[in-house]
Structures are given as C-alpha cells and as structure tokens.
Amino acid sequence: MIPSSTQLPPSAEPISPPVSTAGNGHTEKVTENPELQKLQDSFSTRLEQAKSELSQNPEAREALSDALVNNFCLFQDNENNDSNIENKNNFLALALAQCNLANREDIDKLQQVIKIQDDIIQRRETEEAELQSNEMDLKALEGELGATSRQDNANKSGSYSMVTERQGFVEKQVESWFQEDTRQPVKDALMLLKNQITSGADIGSLPKSITTLKFGKAEDLANFSANFRYPNPDIFSQARHELLSKSSELEQHFANAKDLVSVLQGKVSEDKLGQVIQALSRPVSEMGTEALVLAAILTPFTESDLKSYLKAAQILLLKTEAQKENPELADNTAIAIGLERSDAMVREHYKADPKHAASSAANALVKSQNPLPGNLTAIA
C-alpha cells in the first residue's frame, strides 16, 4: 500500500543556486535587504564561532580534519604549508557553520561520531553485541546532529529562511576564501557533508565505483542507493545488506501498487489521473524526474527505505542528466548538482501550501509530459 503523505520533510534541503554558480541574486544584494542581512549576519557570526572553537580545540580540529578533509582528498598538495593549513581550517569552519554545529557541544558530538566510526572500522573483529551497541550509539548521535542542523528550517527573517539562503552564503564564502582550482572540490564535499549530517546519516566520501554509476539500470540504482545511505563499508554493514536485499521490492513498489487511484484521489483531477498513474506505474529506475518527485512526496517518512531509494534515484537521474548536458562534468560535481536540485524540486511543491504538495507535483508531472507548443523538447 502507498500511504499518502503531504508533510513537509524536516530533513529536506533548501532551494539554492546551482553548484556551478557563484551565488544567487539574494546573496549578492544582501546589503540592500535588511531581512536578508539579518540572516547573513547570523551566518557570519556562526562561522566566526566555528573558527574560534576550532582554534581553541586542536584535538577536535585534527580529528575533524582527518575525517572531513583528508578522507575527501582535499588540499593534498604541500599538505603542511601555511596556505593549506588555512584552507583546511576554513573548510572545517564552513562544514560546521552550514550545519549549525558551531558551538563546543555540537563539535564534541561530531568528534564522537568520527571516533565511533573509526573504532568500528579499526576493530572489524569486534563481538556482534559490542558492534551493535556502537552502531546504536552512532545512530543516536548522528540523529542529534541532524536535528540540530534542521533547526535552520525555523530560522527566519521576514520572508527569508536560513535553510533556503545558507547555500548562497556558503558559496559566497568559498569564492572569497579558496583559489579557483580548489573551489569546485570544496563545494562538492560541502554539499555531500551537508546532506549526510542534516539527514542524520553516516559520514564518508563515496568510492569511485559508486560515483561513476548512471541512472537507468535497477542494479546500478540499488548499489548507488545502498552506498549513498551507508558510505562506509565496515559501518552499518548489516543494514546495507538488508537494504540491498530489499532493492528489488523497492524498485517495483509503484509498478506493483494496487491503490494508486485511491492515493491520488482528490490530489489529481479526473482528466489527469490516468496520465499520472501511467507515469508512476513502472519500476523506479524507469521513472522520469517529475514522477520521482511525486513518488517521494507521496511516500511517508515511516517508509524510510523507500524514501531513501527514491531520493537516491532522483540524485542519480539528475547526475546522469547533468553529465549528458556537460560530458566534462566530474562525477562528484554531478552528484552535488543532483543533491541540490533533487531537494529543491521536492521542496518547491511545499512552498505555497504543504497540504497540496502532491497536487502541485502531479500538475508539474502532467505539464512536463504535455509541454506548450514551441517547447516540445521539454517532454520528460
């Protein structure tokens, strides 16, 4: 059964400018807008607090640098020179500030997460009971960090929200702090880290065998989904195995659904119902972008595995499309674009009225399949 869900996702990320841009119009004109300036000042204060906390806690700085800088292969040249040290410290401050983790308590929690991850990886032969206990502690801490990051959903100034503006603030700071040849890898890593921390997930870079995958095959989507949710092979390995074993069921969930008519009743007009059902009644790896968005909105948070699978599908499809448009686009950059756009596309339908998000997404789906004359290339 497919329960209907129109609740605004608490972990959804903001609508923000494409990864390849230098920032959005809001950020560029921040000094002309008092409401936006208030958010900019708040973010700047948070950034300075993060830098101060890191400078006062060398042990935390070293642990975070190893996990969030070295493991993401950033600033590898001339590792110990002053410029690289400054780059690492600036990156860590941004990683913390973008997730609202600038105070000592939250930095300590993140350090605990990294320590538990390292302990699990280094002690692979640990007794099953001890491993489960460590993973439970890890999951709880990751959940707390995610909840703290999502507090930005309620941080508003007039018509502006921190969760929708912080990406612009981050990109503006990246342009200011980093040399051109390092900016894109920094943006890519920050985007992935923000997604992992905000969603309360495991923290780690993605292996090349996963980043090179493309949308279109169920097997590739299953591997991408499992590794995107659990990027470290020695952590939550049982959960990853169970997710992979469910992948065929998840892939066929909507194709086998018998209650789509009742789920969509009242959300889609009768004249559009057949078209929407046809777009949804297929394997996930064969869906179009707008169909995946609607499917994600219809899926409640209680079905976390399906929710995760659909999000992975959105990201992988958008990554694949981005690389079709620009074959020179690096895999990590394409994934960052997929992350940003997938969250924005879902969130867009909650803006006017969260209760009608599914209706809005269904209308967008129909519109994408019936473009206006003169725009025939927009067919999904």
Side-chain angles (χ1 to χ4, degrees), residues 151-167:
Q151 289 175 5
D152 276 348
N153 291 330
N155 186 356
K156 299 180 183 296
S157 177
S159 61
Y160 296 90
S161 167
M162 180 66 83
V163 77
T164 59
E165 301 300 331
R166 63 183 178 182
Q167 182 62 28

Side-chain angles (χ1 to χ4, degrees), residues 262-322:
S262 61
V263 169
L264 293 168
Q265 204 74 43
K267 300 180 179 68
V268 182
S269 60
E270 291 295 329
D271 61 317
K272 299 176 182 176
L273 188 59
Q275 194 171 357
V276 171
I277 290 175
Q278 184 179 10
L280 289 175
S281 300
R282 61 184 67 189
V284 173
S285 63
E286 296 178 15
M287 286 187 182
T289 307
E290 299 294 350
L292 287 171
V293 170
L294 176 57
I297 291 173
L298 291 173
T299 302
F301 295 104
T302 52
E303 296 194 39
S304 58
D305 288 342
L306 179 58
K307 200 85 171 170
S308 175
Y309 191 79
L310 289 168
K311 179 167 184 176
Q314 280 183 269
I315 294 166
L316 192 58
L317 174 54
L318 290 165
K319 168 197 180 284
T320 303
E321 290 178 344

Side-chain angles (χ1 to χ4, degrees), residues 78-291:
N78 301 315
E79 190 170 338
N80 294 318
N81 68 23
D82 291 342
S83 176
N84 254 18
I85 292 173
E86 183 179 10
N87 280 338
K88 290 182 178 182
N89 292 340
N90 286 340
F91 176 85
L92 292 176
L94 276 172
L96 294 170
Q98 70 172 357
C99 295
N100 193 27
L101 306 178
N103 62 42
R104 176 63 61 89
E105 181 182 358
D106 291 325
I107 293 173
D108 286 346
K109 284 183 183 178
L110 181 56
Q111 190 177 358
Q112 289 179 58
V113 164
I114 290 166
K115 183 179 186 305
I116 295 174
Q117 287 191 171
D118 287 345
D119 286 346
I120 294 174
I121 292 171
Q122 292 171 11
R123 299 167 63 186
R124 298 179 185 178
E125 304 303 321
T126 300
E127 293 289 334
E128 183 67 22
E130 184 179 350
L131 175 62
Q132 289 182 357
S133 177
N134 286 339
E135 289 186 343
M136 286 178 62
D137 291 342
L138 180 59
K139 187 174 182 179
L141 284 168
E142 289 172 342
E144 290 178 19
L145 292 178
T148 299
S149 182
R150 293 193 298 273
Q151 289 175 5
D152 276 348
N153 291 330
N155 186 356
K156 299 180 183 296
S157 177
S159 61
Y160 296 90
S161 167
M162 180 66 83
V163 77
T164 59
E165 301 300 331
R166 63 183 178 182
Q167 182 62 28
F169 300 155
V170 168
E171 292 210 2
K172 184 177 181 182
Q173 205 62 54
V174 169
E175 296 293 324
S176 172
W177 275 352
F178 300 96
Q179 296 293 322
E180 185 175 358
D181 61 336
T182 64
R183 287 173 191 162
Q184 196 60 59
V186 164
K187 291 179 185 179
D188 298 344
L190 286 171
M191 183 63 68
L192 181 58
L193 282 169
K194 181 175 64 175
N195 175 79
Q196 291 174 340
I197 293 173
T198 302
S199 61
D202 206 16
I203 298 171
S205 59
L206 300 176
K208 188 172 181 61
S209 60
I210 299 304
T211 62
T212 56
L213 293 175
K214 297 186 182 300
F215 186 82
K217 294 182 179 179
E219 182 182 356
D220 289 345
L221 176 54
N223 284 327
F224 183 83
S225 174
N227 285 274
F228 192 82
R229 187 168 174 181
Y230 303 109
N232 299 301
D234 296 311
I235 305 174
F236 298 118
S237 56
Q238 181 62 31
R240 184 190 299 99
H241 175 75
E242 291 174 0
L243 185 59
L244 277 169
S245 68
K246 288 180 64 175
S247 61
S248 295
E249 176 188 340
L250 299 173
E251 172 72 9
Q252 299 295 330
H253 182 90
F254 287 89
N256 295 334
K258 305 298 183 184
D259 59 345
L260 278 175
V261 173
S262 61
V263 169
L264 293 168
Q265 204 74 43
K267 300 180 179 68
V268 182
S269 60
E270 291 295 329
D271 61 317
K272 299 176 182 176
L273 188 59
Q275 194 171 357
V276 171
I277 290 175
Q278 184 179 10
L280 289 175
S281 300
R282 61 184 67 189
V284 173
S285 63
E286 296 178 15
M287 286 187 182
T289 307
E290 299 294 350

Side-chain angles (χ1 to χ4, degrees), residues 289-290 321 364-380:
T289 307
E290 299 294 350
E321 290 178 344
L365 170 58
V366 171
K367 186 177 180 180
S368 71
Q369 295 184 329
N370 300 292
L372 295 173
N375 189 26
L376 297 179
T377 57
I379 296 177

Side-chain angles (χ1 to χ4, degrees), residues 18-31:
V19 171
S20 59
T21 65
N24 60 20
H26 286 165
T27 303
E28 292 168 359
K29 299 181 179 179
V30 65
T31 56

